[in-house]
């Protein structure tokens, strides 16, 4: 009997007023312009709390001269470096530690004095925040595994083989464990149905093919891999999750627990070079290799993106019906207007857009029309 799961929804904190008017802050020339754009995106995705935090950071940043200098003199693109989300992660980490007290109370929803709480944190914890700025954001959004699983189901329908999963930008490797999660995708159930991690995105369109997915091997790479068994690494991931999304936090905590029991394999390395090495290794006959990445390309420059495409094209030219290759991409469109789930398969080299998705995997609009079951 199929278990029907009740739809999970985020429960953000009550909306609060922005501490400063955006039109006044738009005149800033201290490197914080992207903080305001990020705040707008957060609010558009329903995270009014995080939006207000970032707007207060802009208003109160002079209280943290060390961090302010780093932001103002950042050598690269602040947006590409996600400086706003780095600062947000630092503040969430402080709040989870209970210091400053006023900040912790703000994050618990006990008051809405954003300017006061953020000012205290920036003033008292300037060096802590500056240290966080030196390290890239670390996220492992487990809900995106729902889109990946749907793409694997579409691939399984075509090839009917176990997958050798290769993930780029794995972070802690939580999505390498996607076979250990339970899914409800447009009415189609998949994965481990008794798992504590249940992924049920809002779904529009037809369901994905109702085809079992078998993961033979799963291996990933990251420039800064995290370890689910390390308390500091676990806390870092939890700090980067948005504080006003308790369902997301709960899912992350449960996925971390599963990773302690089933440690994912994540190598330290540069993604294109690592992928070239993996794809040059002999492929087991009757297995399909699947290269997967979610919200990863935005961190690569144009040269590395071109390298990645060339590596996949070269491997695709060697693919055979008994040793196919698929490329599953969950990424922004070039104009960053929407996130597309794309599937490229070799040896035929066909690419199709399977779905449009919420950036964190909370919603999927399935576009692919091939939903039949695998022929016996």
């Amino acid at each position: 009997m199929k278990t029907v799961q009740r739809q999970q929804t985020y429960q953000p904190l009550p909306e609060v007023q922005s501490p400063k008017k955006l039109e006044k802050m738009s005149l800033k020339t201290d490197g914080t312009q992207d903080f305001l754009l990020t705040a707008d995106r957060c609010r558009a995705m329903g995270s009014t709390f995080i939006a207000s935090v970032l707007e207060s950071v802009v208003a109160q940043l002079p209280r943290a001269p060390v961090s302010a200098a780093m932001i103002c003199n950042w050598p690269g693109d602040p947006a590409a470096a996600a400086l706003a989300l780095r600062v947000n992660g630092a503040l969430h980490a402080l709040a989870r530690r209970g210091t400053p007290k006023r900040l912790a109370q703000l994050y618990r929803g006990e008051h809405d004095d954003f300017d006061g709480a953020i000012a205290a944190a920036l003033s008292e914890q300037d060096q802590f925040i500056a240290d966080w700025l030196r390290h890239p954001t670390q996220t492992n959004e487990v809900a995106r595994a729902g889109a990946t699983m749907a793409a694997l189901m579409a691939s399984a329908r075509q090839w009917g083989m176990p997958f050798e999963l290769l993930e780029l930008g794995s972070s802690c490797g939580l999505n390498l464990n996607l076979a250990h999660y339970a899914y409800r995708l447009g009415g189609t159930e998949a994965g481990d149905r008794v798992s504590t991690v249940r992924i049920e995105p809002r779904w529009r369109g037809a369901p994905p093919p109702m085809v079992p997915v078998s993961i033979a091997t799963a291996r990933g790479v990251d420039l800064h891999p995290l370890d689910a068994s390390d308390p500091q690494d676990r806390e870092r991931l939890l700090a980067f999750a948005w504080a006003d999304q308790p369902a997301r936090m709960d899912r992350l905590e449960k996925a971390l627990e599963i990773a302690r029991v089933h440690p994912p394999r994540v190598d330290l390395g540069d993604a294109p070079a690592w992928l070239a090495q993996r794809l040059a290794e002999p492929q087991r006959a009757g297995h399909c290799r699947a290269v997967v990445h979610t919200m990863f390309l935005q961190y690569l420059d144009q040269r590395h993106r071109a390298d990645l495409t060339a590596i996949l094209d070269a491997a695709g030219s060697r693919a055979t019906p008994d040793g196919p290759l698929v490329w599953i991409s969950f990424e922004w469109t070039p104009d960053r207007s929407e996130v597309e789930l794309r599937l490229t398969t070799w040896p035929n080299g066909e690419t199709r857009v399977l779905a449009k998705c919420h950036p964190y995997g909370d919603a999927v609009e399935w576009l692919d029309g091939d939903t039949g079951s695998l022929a016996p």
Side-chain angles (χ1 to χ4, degrees), residues 140-142 145 148-149 152 163-181 183 215-222 225-226 255 258-259 262-267 274 290-294:
N140 225 165
E141 187 46 65
V142 181
T148 300
M149 176 59 75
L152 288 171
F163 291 99
E164 298 175 0
L165 199 64
L166 299 171
E167 187 187 29
L168 310 179
S170 295
S171 186
C172 196
L174 300 185
N175 287 336
L176 289 170
N177 274 340
L178 83 172
H180 296 290
Y181 306 151
Y183 304 88
I215 305 296
T217 60
R219 185 174 178 182
V221 66
D222 199 276
L226 299 183
I258 288 176
H262 302 282
R265 182 178 181 181
V266 182
D267 299 326
W274 178 90
V291 177
V292 178
H293 51 82
T294 60

Side-chain angles (χ1 to χ4, degrees), residues 76-77 80-81 223 270-272 296-309:
D77 180 359
L223 285 173
D270 174 75
F296 165 73
L297 293 182
Q298 61 189 316
Y299 299 110
L300 299 183
D301 59 26
Q302 288 299 115
R303 180 176 67 84
H304 283 94
R305 291 190 191 190
D307 289 346
L308 183 63
T309 300

Side-chain angles (χ1 to χ4, degrees), residues 10 46 56-57 83 91 102 140 152 169 214 237 242 312 348 354:
Y10 289 149
S56 258
V57 168
L83 292 190
L91 293 171
R102 192 70 174 158
N140 225 165
L152 288 171
S214 173
L237 277 177
W242 290 358
L312 283 159
N348 58 14
L354 297 179

Side-chain angles (χ1 to χ4, degrees), residues 345-360:
T345 62
W346 287 278
N348 58 14
E350 176 191 55
T351 298
R352 64 188 197 263
V353 177
L354 297 179
K356 297 179 181 179
C357 306
H358 183 280
Y360 290 129

